[in-house]
């Protein structure tokens, strides 16, 4: 039971007297006066009955001939239900009016039926109608209740029956609809009962053994769970359909009870006046003073209280309360807006430190979150100043999302208040409003408190519930020495870099770090092996080498559950991991050999490094057997064909390690035959020099000349080798004899006997050549004489063509035919088919063209010679001119079919004769 004397009083309503609209003369408005003799009233659908619209223009119609005793205006329909009398005596009638339809200017009466059940005369005490128009209940002074079920606006579709009979007058009725369940509350002067109308036979339950007077009951709205309110002289009781609820000790004789927008309106008799009878609410004396109280049952305060003179009723319409008094005045109670109410009450409540009431009031009036947050902040400041830090932090927690967290954090940075700060920061994280600094601070609180259980609870939330910056948490835990917690977070949230950094730098668990890398996706495993490979190779070389082999061949994360072949393995570039093996040559060799075996197309750097590694091992090995094995391995690698594109690099490696067989092999592969011979010359391997000349002399003839010069410079007795070289030079005619003599003149041990045979053979060959040249000269002279004679004959005497066969098809010659001065004859059709020019003999044309080409070439060379001489004289850089002409092939020797090693004069004569012959050889037909 709540004692209302302890409730705070506020003035949440403004009271005014309703005045008439101003007249045309502009005079001041007078108080509005109701007509005298009002017995009953109700509100709804925009009117106060009579009919009083907002314009205050009264209207009325005669509903009954004698009197109206009860009215009920439905809120959701334009239906008015009335009870009154048309005749003297106890004969009440129920009439249902449709206010939207008219009948002769009056509302349409859709139904009339007697209110009294049966023929037993009694007085109607109360009336209620369900908003769905399917139920209507009428209470009587004899204790009976009549229920009409069905469409109350029509006789045909409704059924009337006696629902309740008793010995005490019925003082109140109310329908309660919750879902599909309908209840009817019945209150008399002595008891309260509840009927369930949605069930057959209408079962009922007695809720209490005391009742109330007329108009002292009402039904609350959903904010109070649709409870039935009964006001007694000592208390106000609330009821559910099946039980009694709370009660409030509001003393005083209750005259009227209503419910309005979450407020309980109670009109009670002023204590200073004499009491009235319990069942005579309508018979109040004019001199009585009455108190109207408006209660807020949720927040337990009085929203308004005022004294009126003899209240007829309190009606709610147009968003306000209207108080009708017996003197005909209407007083309007206008509720203040929410902000005004809160400002009016907060100052008083805050002064008296009634923050809880202020909070409840703000919530009930749906104050926005910013306003509520400000109340929580002030309440928290109040508790903080009183030293109640636990209570203060609870209020500050309620401001999260509105109040800047730093405002609260600064107040609780003291070490003695670290528990409160921890609670605040925890809530801040739970609402996902924390930043990295808040996470750092919370974790530091945990570590200072050494509260491992809370720390684990904070970090071991599920993935979907993470409300903090994980990376910040890892840093703080690592700094505080909570390595296991930091590693847990890093692994759970896939912060691979932090996981490996802590494992390798702090915990020193290299095996676990390597296992973790093996579970990562390819890209991350590759990058982390590049970053931490050297550390892992230093501490766990074998395991690291095996992981690198897998990473560079066919990598699949070790944590994948897919079967073999489900995922296509990726391969890393093995060359990029060579620096990882610094100071681990044994593991490096194993890695490189594995890569070359399983992956023949490994990068070139792999083969280069493996070659260098094998050459190093070969150069430093002392055991002859092992050295021979390493020698073969290195040479086999060189011969694998993988060093064609890096020939120079492989050659440098072999030279650095003095690997002779490798150097010679690479010289041979690079066709560096002179380098091979020079290599043997440096090592004075005479037989090898001769062998090189024999092997590669055909490809590079200068080898023999260099060999002759080499042996000529030797002071040792090299006659055997000189003789072999001279024999080859003689056979191939590689050097002029004079140059051979000059070359051997530098050797003091080479006597004339060494080159005697060479010189004799050379002189004999030249003598034979001279004889052949003289014979050819004589032949050319005779030929020239003959040709000149033919030319003279052609000039001086006619040419007789005696050919009988075609020179092309060898068939008998027939007209028309074509004859040439050269003596060839052709059928005309054969000539046209095979001839390329009308003026040349098809048979002689190939030979003639060769001669003409030679003549043109000689003329072009003569012109080029003149041009060359001119440019050479005028140029400041003669060498560049010579190089330019040399690159264009000007100095190349022109080889002709008729070019024989004879004297210049003979060649010139022969060319001139041939040219003269071609000029005078023309076609004649």
């Amino acid at each position: 039971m709540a004692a209302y004397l302890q409730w705070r009083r506020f003035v949440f309503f403004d009271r005014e007297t309703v005045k008439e609209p101003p007249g045309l003369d502009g005079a001041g408005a007078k108080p509005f006066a109701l007509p005298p003799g009002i017995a009953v009233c109700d509100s709804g659908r925009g009117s106060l009955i009579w009919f009083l619209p907002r314009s205050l223009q009264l209207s009325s119609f005669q509903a009954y001939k004698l009197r109206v005793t009860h009215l009920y205006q439905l809120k959701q329909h334009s239906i008015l239900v009335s009870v009154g009398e048309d005749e003297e005596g106890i004969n009440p009638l129920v009439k249902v009016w449709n206010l939207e339809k008219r009948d002769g200017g009056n509302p349409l009466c859709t139904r009339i039926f007697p209110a009294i059940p049966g023929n037993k005369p009694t007085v109607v005490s109360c009336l209620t109608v369900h908003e769905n128009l399917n139920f209507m209940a009428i209470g009587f002074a004899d204790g009976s209740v009549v229920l009409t079920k069905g469409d109350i606006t029509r006789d045909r579709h409704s059924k009337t029956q006696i629902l309740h009979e008793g010995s005490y007058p019925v003082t109140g009725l109310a329908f309660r609809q919750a879902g599909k369940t309908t209840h009817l509350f019945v209150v008399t002067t002595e008891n309260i009962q509840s009927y369930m109308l949605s069930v057959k036979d209408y079962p009922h339950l007695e809720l209490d053994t005391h009742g109330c007077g007329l108009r002292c009951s009402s039904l609350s709205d959903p904010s109070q769970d649709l409870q039935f309110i009964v006001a007694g002289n000592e208390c106000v009781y609330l009821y559910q359909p099946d039980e009694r609820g709370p009660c409030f000790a509001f003393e005083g004789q209750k005259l009227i009870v209503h419910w309005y927008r979450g407020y309980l309106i109670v009109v009670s008799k002023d204590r200073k006046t004499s009491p009235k009878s319990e069942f005579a609410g309508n018979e109040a004396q004019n001199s009585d003073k009455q108190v109207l109280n408006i209660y807020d049952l949720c927040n337990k305060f009085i929203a308004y209280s005022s004294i009126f003179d003899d209240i007829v009723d309190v009606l709610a319409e147009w968003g306000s309360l209207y108080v009708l008094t017996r003197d005909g005045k209407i007083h309007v109670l206008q509720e203040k807006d929410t902000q005004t109410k809160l400002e009016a009450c907060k100052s008083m409540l805050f002064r008296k430190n009634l923050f809880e009431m202020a909070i409840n009031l703000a919530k009930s009036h749906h104050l926005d979150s910013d306003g509520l947050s400000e109340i929580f902040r002030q309440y928290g400041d109040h508790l903080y100043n009183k030293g109640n830090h636990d209570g203060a932090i609870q209020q500050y927690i309620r401001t999260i999302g509105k109040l800047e967290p730093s405002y609260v954090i600064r107040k609780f940075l003291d070490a003695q208040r670290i528990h409160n700060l921890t609670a605040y920061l925890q809530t801040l994280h739970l609402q996902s409003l924390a930043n990295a600094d808040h996470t750092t601070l919370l974790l530091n609180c945990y570590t200072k408190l050494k509260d491992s259980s809370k720390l684990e609870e904070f970090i071991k939330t599920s993935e979907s519930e993470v409300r903090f910056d994980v990376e910040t948490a890892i840093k703080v835990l690592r700094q505080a020495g909570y390595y296991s917690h930091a590693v847990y977070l890093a692994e759970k949230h896939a912060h691979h870099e932090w996981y490996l950094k802590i494992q390798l730098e702090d915990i020193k668990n290299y095996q676990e770090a390597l296992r973790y890398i093996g579970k990562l996706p390819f890209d991350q495993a590759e990058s982390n092996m590049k970053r931490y490979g050297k550390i892992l190779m230093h501490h766990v070389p074998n395991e690291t080498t095996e992981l690198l082999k897998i990473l560079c061949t066919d990598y699949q994360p070790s944590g994948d559950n897919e079967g073999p072949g489900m995922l296509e393995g990726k391969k890393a570039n093995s060359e990029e991991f060579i620096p990882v093996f610094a100071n681990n040559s044994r593991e490096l060799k194993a890695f490189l050999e594995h890569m070359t075996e399983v992956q023949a197309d490994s990068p070139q750097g792999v083969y280069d490094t493996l070659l260098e590694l094998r050459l190093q091992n070969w150069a430093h090995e002392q055991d002859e057997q092992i050295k021979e094995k390493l020698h073969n391995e290195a040479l086999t690698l060189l011969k694998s064909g993988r060093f064609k594109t890096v020939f120079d690099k492989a050659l440098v490696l072999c030279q650095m390690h003095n690997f002779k067989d490798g150097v010679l092999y690479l010289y041979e592969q690079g066709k560096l035959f002179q380098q091979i011979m020079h290599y043997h010359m440096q090592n004075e391997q005479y037989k090898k020099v001769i062998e090189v000349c024999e092997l590669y002399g055909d490809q590079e003839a200068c080898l023999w000349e260099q060999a002759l010069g080499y042996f000529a410079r030797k002071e040792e007795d090299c006659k055997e080798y000189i003789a072999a070289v001279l024999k080859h030079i003689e056979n191939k005619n590689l050097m002029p004899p004079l140059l051979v003599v000059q070359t051997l003149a530098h050797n003091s041990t080479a006597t004339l006997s060494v080159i005697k045979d060479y010189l004799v053979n050379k002189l004999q060959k030249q003598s034979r050549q001279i004889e052949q040249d003289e014979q050819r000269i004589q032949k050319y002279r005779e030929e020239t004489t003959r040709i000149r004679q033919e030319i003279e004959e052609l000039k001086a005497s006619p040419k007789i063509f005696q050919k009988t066969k075609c020179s092309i098809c060898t068939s008998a010659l027939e007209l028309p035919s074509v004859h040439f001065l050269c003596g060839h004859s052709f059928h005309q059709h054969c000539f046209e088919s095979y001839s390329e020019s009308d003026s040349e003999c098809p048979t002689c044309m190939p030979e003639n063209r060769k001669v003409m080409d030679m003549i043109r070439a000689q003329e072009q060379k003569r012109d080029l010679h003149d041009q060359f001489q001119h440019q050479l004289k005028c140029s400041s850089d003669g060498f560049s001119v010579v190089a330019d002409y040399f690159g264009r092939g000007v100095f190349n020797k022109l080889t002709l079919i008729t070019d024989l090693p004879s004297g210049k004069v003979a060649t010139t004569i022969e060319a001139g004769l041939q040219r003269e012959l071609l000029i005078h050889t023309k076609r004649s037909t």
Side-chain angles (χ1 to χ4, degrees):
M1 179 180 293
Y4 93 105
L5 294 177
Q6 300 177 0
W7 288 18
R8 298 290 169 179
R9 293 177 178 267
F10 301 99
V11 182
F12 285 171
F13 289 82
D14 293 325
R15 173 178 172 177
E16 293 181 2
T17 301
V18 178
K19 296 182 179 182
E20 294 181 354
L24 297 176
D25 55 359
K30 299 179 180 180
F32 181 81
L34 288 172
I38 293 179
V40 293
C41 57
D42 200 354
S43 64
R45 305 300 295 178
S47 295
L48 303 174
I49 310 303
W50 288 24
F51 288 119
L52 179 62
R54 199 163 191 172
S55 61
L56 302 181
Q57 300 296 323
L58 277 170
S59 62
S60 64
F61 71 96
Q62 186 174 1
Y64 295 89
K65 295 178 181 179
L66 293 181
R67 67 182 64 85
V68 180
T69 60
H70 295 82
L71 290 176
Y72 192 93
Q73 172 67 56
L74 276 76
K75 303 298 185 287
Q76 300 177 11
H77 304 277
S78 295
I79 300 297
L80 175 66
V81 180
S82 62
V83 178
E85 298 176 3
D86 283 338
E87 299 175 357
E88 288 291 345
I90 302 177
N91 187 25
L93 293 178
V94 179
K95 295 184 180 182
V96 181
W97 307 87
N98 188 334
L99 302 182
E100 292 181 348
K101 296 181 180 181
R102 292 292 176 177
D103 181 14
N106 296 330
L108 175 64
C109 181
T110 62
R111 185 181 180 186
I112 302 175
F113 63 94
I116 297 176
N119 296 321
K120 183 179 179 182
T122 183
V123 177
V124 175
S125 59
C126 54
L127 167 70
T128 187
V129 182
H130 199 291
E131 286 294 331
N132 63 10
L133 299 179
N134 286 326
F135 293 101
M136 179 171 62
I138 303 174
F140 295 90
D142 65 354
S144 60
V145 176
V146 173
L147 176 67
T148 301
K149 183 178 181 182
D151 189 353
I152 64 170
T153 63
R154 299 182 181 180
D155 291 327
R156 293 182 179 180
H157 301 287
S158 62
K159 179 181 178 181
T160 301
Q161 66 182 85
I162 298 176
L163 177 68
H164 171 79
E165 290 183 332
S167 56
Y168 304 104
V170 178
T171 57
L173 298 169
F175 287 107
R176 182 183 188 273
Q177 186 71 42
K180 296 182 179 181
T181 303
T182 305
H183 288 87
L184 175 63
F185 290 100
V186 178
V187 58
T188 67
T189 56
E190 299 297 333
N191 59 23
I192 303 170
Q193 299 189 41
S194 168
Y195 286 83
M196 183 180 293
L197 303 183
S198 54
V199 179
K200 190 177 181 180
D201 298 333
Y202 307 140
H204 68 281
L205 176 67
E206 186 175 12
L207 301 176
D208 215 333
T209 57
H210 60 80
C212 65
L214 286 173
R215 301 197 297 172
C216 291
S217 63
S218 182
L219 189 71
S220 69
D221 59 19
S223 65
Q224 281 291 333
D225 199 21
L226 297 174
Q227 297 186 88
F228 186 56
I229 301 171
V230 176
N233 289 337
E234 292 80 15
C235 296
V236 174
Y237 301 91
L238 278 67
Y239 296 92
Q240 292 284 355
D242 54 353
E243 63 180 352
R244 192 178 82 173
C247 67
F248 300 91
F250 301 153
E251 297 181 356
Q253 181 181 352
K254 311 301 186 298
L255 303 177
I256 301 173
V257 173
H258 287 297
W259 185 267
Y260 169 73
R261 291 187 177 182
Y263 293 112
L264 176 63
I265 302 170
V266 177
V267 177
S268 58
K269 189 173 180 59
D270 192 356
R271 296 181 183 179
K272 297 179 181 179
T273 62
S274 58
K276 294 189 290 185
S277 64
E278 188 178 59
F279 189 65
N282 291 333
E283 301 298 333
Q285 299 178 4
N286 294 337
S287 60
D288 287 344
K289 296 289 186 179
Q290 297 170 356
V291 179
L292 185 146
N293 289 322
I294 302 178
Y295 299 97
D296 187 329
L297 300 184
C298 291
N299 300 309
K300 295 182 174 56
F301 65 84
I302 301 174
Y304 183 78
S305 180
S306 182
I307 297 176
F308 292 86
D309 292 331
D310 200 3
I311 297 174
V312 175
D313 206 343
V314 180
L315 304 176
E317 193 63 41
W318 307 312
S320 302
L321 287 173
Y322 291 87
V323 182
L324 281 64
T325 57
R326 190 67 61 184
D327 57 6
K329 295 181 180 180
I330 301 178
H331 304 273
V332 59
L333 300 180
Q334 182 70 41
E335 187 177 7
K336 298 178 180 180
D337 62 87
T338 302
Q339 193 62 35
T340 303
K341 289 190 293 185
L342 291 175
E343 291 299 329
C345 73
K346 277 197 300 184
S347 58
M348 183 191 74
L349 293 176
F350 289 176
R351 284 197 306 270
K352 298 183 179 180
N353 299 325
L354 299 175
F355 290 97
E356 288 294 343
M357 180 175 288
I359 292 169
N360 294 333
L361 177 63
K363 287 182 178 180
S364 64
H365 286 79
H366 307 290
L367 183 64
D368 59 16
S369 56
D370 292 334
L372 278 172
S373 177
E374 178 61 21
I375 298 175
F376 294 142
R377 183 195 65 78
Q378 295 184 32
Y379 192 14
D381 291 345
H382 168 73
L383 295 175
Y384 181 85
N385 293 330
K386 289 177 61 177
N388 184 2
H389 298 132
D390 293 338
I393 203 65
Q394 294 303 318
Q395 299 306 317
Y396 288 136
I397 286 174
R398 300 168 81 175
T399 67
I400 290 177
K402 298 298 179 181
L403 182 63
E404 176 62 35
S406 59
Y407 177 86
V408 180
I409 293 172
R410 285 196 299 267
K411 291 178 177 290
F412 293 89
L413 285 177
D414 194 321
Q416 297 178 353
R417 303 167 189 168
I418 194 171
H419 292 86
N420 303 127
L421 180 59
T422 303
Y424 179 81
L425 292 172
Q426 282 178 340
T427 309
L428 198 64
H429 282 80
L430 287 174
Q431 297 186 19
S432 301
L433 296 174
N435 57 28
D437 294 333
H438 300 148
T439 301
T440 302
L441 189 57
L442 177 59
L443 292 174
N444 283 328
C445 290
Y446 285 141
T447 55
K448 292 281 180 61
L449 295 171
K450 300 187 183 302
D451 193 346
S452 299
S453 60
K454 282 285 186 182
L455 180 60
E456 290 186 5
E457 181 183 352
F458 177 73
I459 67 174
K460 292 185 178 180
T461 53
S462 64
E463 186 72 24
S464 60
E465 297 176 353
V466 175
R467 297 183 176 91
F468 57 88
D469 185 78
V470 176
E471 186 170 358
T472 301
I474 295 173
K475 291 179 183 178
V476 175
L477 292 171
R478 184 190 184 198
Q479 187 177 5
Y482 284 80
Y483 300 128
S484 60
H485 295 79
V487 165
Y488 170 82
L489 272 183
E491 182 175 11
K492 179 180 179 181
H493 299 284
H495 286 261
H496 311 307
E497 181 179 353
W498 282 108
Y499 180 91
L500 294 172
K501 189 177 293 186
I502 296 171
Q503 287 284 13
L504 296 174
E505 298 177 7
D506 300 320
I507 304 178
K508 310 292 185 184
N509 191 344
Y510 305 104
Q511 291 281 3
E512 181 61 27
L514 195 64
R515 179 199 63 80
Y516 185 81
I517 294 176
K519 292 165 41 179
L520 297 179
F522 171 78
D523 294 334
Q524 297 172 1
E526 181 185 25
S527 62
N528 282 291
M529 282 305 294
K530 290 178 181 178
R531 180 175 302 172
Y532 303 109
K534 289 184 180 180
I535 300 176
L536 294 170
M537 183 62 67
H538 178 71
H539 293 89
V540 281
N542 295 331
E543 294 82 352
T544 305
T545 303
E546 291 301 319
L547 179 58
L548 286 175
K549 289 179 181 179
I550 298 173
L551 188 64
C552 296
T553 51
D554 187 15
Y555 178 78
Q556 290 185 0
S558 59
D560 288 347
N561 297 323
E562 290 83 351
M566 294 297 291
L567 292 175
E568 181 181 356
K570 296 183 178 180
K571 301 177 183 179
N573 187 346
S574 52
E575 184 178 2
E576 297 176 355
F577 293 98
I578 292 176
V580 171
F581 293 89
N583 303 322
N584 293 83
S585 58
R586 181 173 61 85
E587 286 77 14
L588 176 59
K589 181 181 178 183
F591 173 72
L592 295 177
E593 289 178 347
H594 172 78
M595 294 307 303
T596 56
E597 290 175 3
V598 302
Q599 191 173 324
D601 58 344
S602 295
Q604 185 61 43
V606 173
Y607 287 92
D608 295 345
T609 308
L610 181 58
L611 175 62
E612 183 178 3
L613 200 59
R614 288 183 175 179
L615 291 176
Q616 287 179 355
N617 294 338
W618 172 81
H620 295 90
E621 183 59 49
Q622 301 297 326
D623 191 310
E624 291 299 328
Q625 292 183 352
I626 300 177
K627 192 177 184 72
E628 180 64 23
K629 180 182 178 182
L630 295 174
H631 175 278
N632 295 333
E633 290 179 353
L635 194 59
T636 301
L637 183 61
L638 275 176
K639 294 181 179 180
S640 64
R642 296 293 306 183
F643 299 93
K644 294 179 181 179
T645 58
V646 289
F647 173 83
D648 295 340
K649 186 174 182 179
L651 183 60
V652 170
L653 288 174
C654 292
Q655 290 173 343
M656 286 174 55
H657 297 88
N658 197 21
F659 190 59
K660 297 180 181 179
D661 291 345
V663 171
L664 293 175
Y665 172 77
L666 291 173
Y667 281 158
E668 181 180 357
Q669 293 298 310
K671 300 186 182 301
L672 302 177
F673 306 129
Q674 295 187 37
Q675 281 79 353
I676 297 176
M677 189 171 68
H678 290 163
Y679 181 84
H680 292 307
M681 288 178 179
Q682 291 175 359
N683 292 278
E684 297 185 351
Q685 297 175 339
Y686 301 149
K687 291 184 178 180
K688 293 289 185 181
V689 172
I690 298 299
E691 290 178 2
V692 170
C693 291
E694 291 175 349
L695 287 173
Y696 311 116
D698 294 338
Q699 302 180 46
E700 198 164 344
C702 64
L703 293 177
W704 291 104
E705 300 175 11
Q706 295 177 11
L708 180 63
Y710 169 73
F711 289 121
R713 289 190 297 271
K714 290 294 182 181
E715 296 299 328
E716 303 174 10
D717 187 5
C718 300
K719 294 180 181 180
E720 177 183 355
Y721 303 108
I722 293 175
V725 173
L726 287 175
K727 182 179 179 181
H728 192 84
I729 290 175
E730 179 187 354
N731 293 335
K732 298 292 185 179
N733 194 20
L734 300 177
M735 296 175 64
L738 183 58
L739 183 58
V740 173
V741 173
Q742 290 175 349
T743 302
L744 292 177
H746 299 288
N747 192 326
S748 60
T749 62
T751 60
L752 187 60
S753 60
V754 176
I755 60 172
K756 174 182 176 182
D757 294 337
Y758 169 76
L759 293 175
V760 170
N761 293 334
K762 203 65 177 170
L763 290 173
Q764 289 177 352
K765 286 183 178 180
Q766 289 184 356
S767 297
R768 289 193 295 271
Q769 185 67 39
I770 291 172
E771 292 178 358
Q772 292 176 2
D773 291 342
E774 290 176 349
Q775 292 176 2
R776 189 174 289 107
I777 290 171
Q778 184 62 32
K779 178 182 177 183
Y780 282 155
R781 285 176 178 174
E782 294 175 355
E783 182 71 21
T784 302
T785 303
R786 183 184 62 77
I787 292 174
R788 284 178 177 175
Q789 290 177 356
E790 289 183 1
I791 292 173
E792 291 298 329
E793 289 178 1
L794 290 173
K795 289 180 178 181
S797 60
K799 177 68 175 178
I800 300 173
F801 301 103
Q802 296 178 345
K803 286 280 188 178
T804 60
K805 292 185 178 181
C806 176
S807 298
I808 293 178
C809 64
T810 67
S811 300
L813 198 61
E814 298 176 353
L815 294 177
S817 61
V818 179
H819 304 276
F820 286 89
L821 292 176
C822 61
H824 296 106
S825 300
F826 308 92
H827 294 115
Q828 185 175 356
H829 62 273
C830 292
F831 174 75
E832 291 175 352
S833 301
Y834 290 94
S835 176
E836 295 181 6
S837 174
D838 293 341
S839 61
E840 294 186 60
C841 173
T843 304
C844 299
M845 185 175 61
E847 189 66 24
N848 293 341
R849 284 192 176 180
K850 290 181 181 179
V851 176
M852 292 303 295
D853 290 341
M854 287 189 291
I855 294 173
R856 281 193 294 270
Q858 290 175 355
E859 290 176 349
Q860 290 176 0
K861 281 192 175 182
R862 183 171 64 250
D863 295 339
L864 286 173
H865 173 73
D866 297 338
Q867 184 179 359
F868 170 72
Q869 291 294 337
H870 175 73
Q871 291 186 5
L872 190 61
K873 290 178 182 179
C874 298
S875 175
S876 60
D877 187 3
F879 181 78
S880 63
V881 175
V882 174
D884 179 50
Y885 275 82
F886 185 81
R888 289 155 56 183
V890 174
F891 302 115
N892 292 347
K893 181 180 179 182
L894 180 63
T895 303
L896 302 176
I897 296 176
T898 58
D899 188 14
L900 297 175
S902 59
K904 183 185 295 185
V905 177
T907 304
T908 305
I909 295 172
E910 180 183 5
L913 290 173
Q914 291 177 353
R915 182 183 180 189
E916 186 177 355
L917 178 61
L918 289 171
I919 292 174
H920 292 87
T921 304
K922 302 295 183 179
R923 180 175 66 85
S924 176
T925 57

